[in-house]
């Protein structure tokens, strides 16, 4: 019937606009030493590939940049790519720590992570992302990701 075609057309048109799409959230935390910005989805579907971008803007010199990720944020995920590759990857103080070179005052650092949610997982993931200068906390932000079936 014409009504069903109209409804189908409306649903397709809304889908193409992205109006009802899953939200991406950007969280920014700034302290005197650095600004930490995390850009990642708030809602994803199981099996989806997604990108996380972590930016650190140095407000003063940072001798050794370190990014910590709570293990909860990696639960049932496969990490495909990290650009740039960390100089060192460790597990310290209950978090995965990725170490990078120094940053000069005013310099921006971008850490891009491509990952996939394992197909059998759905639920919620909560955890912290922290920026350090050789073990000294610069900024922290809490993230929540909802994984839909």
């Amino acid at each position: 019937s014409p009504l069903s075609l109209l409804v189908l057309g409306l649903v397709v048109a809304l889908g193409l606009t992205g109006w009802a799409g899953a939200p991406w959230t950007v969280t920014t935390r700034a302290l005197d030493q650095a600004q930490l910005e995390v850009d990642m989805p708030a809602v994803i579907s199981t099996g989806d590939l997604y990108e996380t971008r972590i930016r650190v803007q140095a407000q003063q010199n940072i001798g050794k940049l370190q990014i910590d990720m709570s293990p909860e944020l990696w639960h049932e995920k496969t990490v495909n790519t990290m650009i740039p590759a960390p100089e060192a990857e460790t597990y310290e103080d209950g978090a995965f720590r990725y170490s990078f070179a120094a940053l000069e005052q005013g310099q921006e650092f971008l850490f891009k992570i491509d990952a996939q949610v394992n197909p059998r997982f759905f639920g919620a993931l909560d955890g912290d992302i922290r920026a350090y200068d050789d073990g000294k906390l610069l900024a922290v932000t809490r993230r929540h990701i909802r994984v839909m079936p």
Side-chain angles (χ1 to χ4, degrees):
S1 83
L3 180 60
S4 63
L5 287 175
L6 180 63
V7 170
L8 178 62
L10 181 61
V11 169
V12 169
L14 284 174
L16 291 174
T17 65
W19 177 76
W24 278 72
T25 58
V26 177
T27 304
T28 303
R29 296 290 182 259
L31 295 175
D32 293 339
Q33 300 90 352
Q35 177 176 305
L36 171 65
E37 180 181 289
V38 178
D39 184 5
M40 67 190 309
V43 179
I44 52 179
S45 294
T46 186
D48 278 357
L49 294 165
Y50 71 97
E51 178 179 273
T52 297
R53 290 178 300 277
I54 300 170
R55 286 183 177 83
V56 176
Q57 177 77 36
Q59 308 298 344
Q60 59 188 23
N61 291 342
I62 296 174
K64 180 180 180 183
L65 178 63
Q66 297 168 316
I67 306 287
D68 272 19
M69 303 280 289
S70 293
E72 295 81 10
L73 291 174
W74 290 142
H75 181 70
E76 289 294 334
K77 293 186 184 174
T78 300
V79 175
N80 299 321
T81 308
M82 291 184 176
I83 300 172
E87 293 176 355
E89 301 175 41
T90 60
Y91 184 82
E92 296 180 32
D93 302 322
F96 294 103
R97 181 167 287 178
Y98 306 99
S99 299
F100 302 94
L103 290 180
E104 298 294 324
Q105 182 177 359
Q107 187 177 3
E108 181 179 278
F109 174 81
L110 173 63
F111 185 32
K112 180 180 172 295
I113 304 165
D114 294 319
Q116 180 177 14
V117 178
N118 293 338
R120 67 180 181 200
F121 179 77
F122 67 95
L125 302 169
D126 290 289
D128 292 332
I129 299 173
R130 294 179 170 92
Y132 289 93
D133 180 0
D134 201 15
K136 178 184 171 198
L137 183 64
L138 299 175
V140 61
T141 183
R142 184 132 185 104
R143 297 309 307 242
H144 175 82
I145 303 171
R146 189 173 54 175
V147 181
M148 305 299 288

